[in-house]
Amino acid sequence: MGFQLGGTNVLRVCKMPIQSLAGLADHYFLSETGRFDNSLGWGPEGLELKGIVKVTELQLERVEQFMAAAQYSIAVNNCEHFANYVLYGINLSSQQHTWWKDLGAEVSSRLQPTQGRGANYQTFMRQQVAELLNENLRQEHIKRANQERIDFWKARGVDVK
């Protein structure tokens, strides 16, 4: 999971209805394919980074700016604000312009806990460190298993390379 820097934009704003709110609100995210597997979003727990997301330097800078300045709010700094800011540099959400989206936002804001600006970085960094440690552990397990196989065959007079 992480960012891959590229020279040209490949992301687009994608949305899907929030099922738990019977479609009264939508979740917006950035993706190259329109799917969640390699996507970038913003929610009550801060940055939502799934898989490898290709971004430009400007987009990465905007992600950092948004994280540093914004606390999640369904009305002021929601997922659509984030997606539009990262992609276009405009902090804009059209979800608040219909009564049913307003209702969905109100219900959602009462049900979802949010975290502060400082916690945005802490949660993201904790996630990145955990993934790095897990990958290092996985690599160490592979190395150990390979060495055990080499030692097994070496004890039997077989040279394994």
Side-chain angles (χ1 to χ4, degrees):
M1 177 172 84
F3 295 109
Q4 181 180 22
L5 285 177
T8 59
N9 174 47
V10 296
L11 297 175
R12 60 188 169 104
V13 177
C14 306
K15 75 174 183 174
M16 60 179 23
I18 300 173
Q19 297 304 319
S20 61
L21 296 175
L24 292 176
D26 296 314
H27 179 65
Y28 287 77
F29 60 97
L30 296 170
S31 173
E32 184 177 353
T33 63
R35 297 191 335 242
F36 274 129
D37 54 350
N38 292 308
S39 67
L40 175 62
W42 182 256
E45 295 181 18
L47 190 67
E48 299 170 344
L49 179 61
K50 299 181 181 7
I52 302 295
V53 179
K54 298 175 186 172
V55 294
T56 65
E57 286 187 41
L58 178 60
Q59 290 168 341
L60 185 57
E61 185 179 312
R62 288 177 180 164
V63 168
E64 292 169 353
Q65 289 170 348
F66 199 92
M67 286 177 64
Q71 177 179 351
Y72 179 85
S73 163
I74 195 77
V76 182
N77 292 309
N78 65 33
C79 54
E80 188 179 8
H81 287 106
F82 174 80
N84 283 320
Y85 183 73
V86 170
L87 204 56
Y88 307 114
I90 301 170
N91 191 358
L92 176 71
S93 174
S94 62
Q95 291 190 84
Q96 270 54 52
H97 300 298
T98 57
W99 69 267
W100 64 89
K101 299 291 182 179
D102 280 341
L103 175 62
E106 182 63 28
V107 170
S108 180
S109 69
R110 299 207 184 270
L111 297 176
Q112 295 178 327
T114 61
Q115 65 184 30
R117 288 186 297 271
N120 292 337
Y121 279 112
Q122 292 169 358
T123 300
F124 180 70
M125 291 308 294
R126 226 184 347 258
Q127 201 174 21
Q128 292 292 315
V129 168
E131 287 186 12
L132 178 63
L133 291 174
N134 284 333
E135 179 59 22
N136 288 347
L137 184 60
R138 188 182 76 77
Q139 292 294 327
E140 204 50 47
H141 283 221
I142 290 169
K143 198 157 81 174
R144 184 179 302 155
N146 285 338
Q147 188 60 50
E148 287 174 2
R149 279 193 274 291
I150 290 169
D151 292 346
F152 173 84
W153 288 109
K154 190 176 192 179
R156 286 153 182 78
V158 177
D159 188 24
V160 177
K161 294 190 183 207

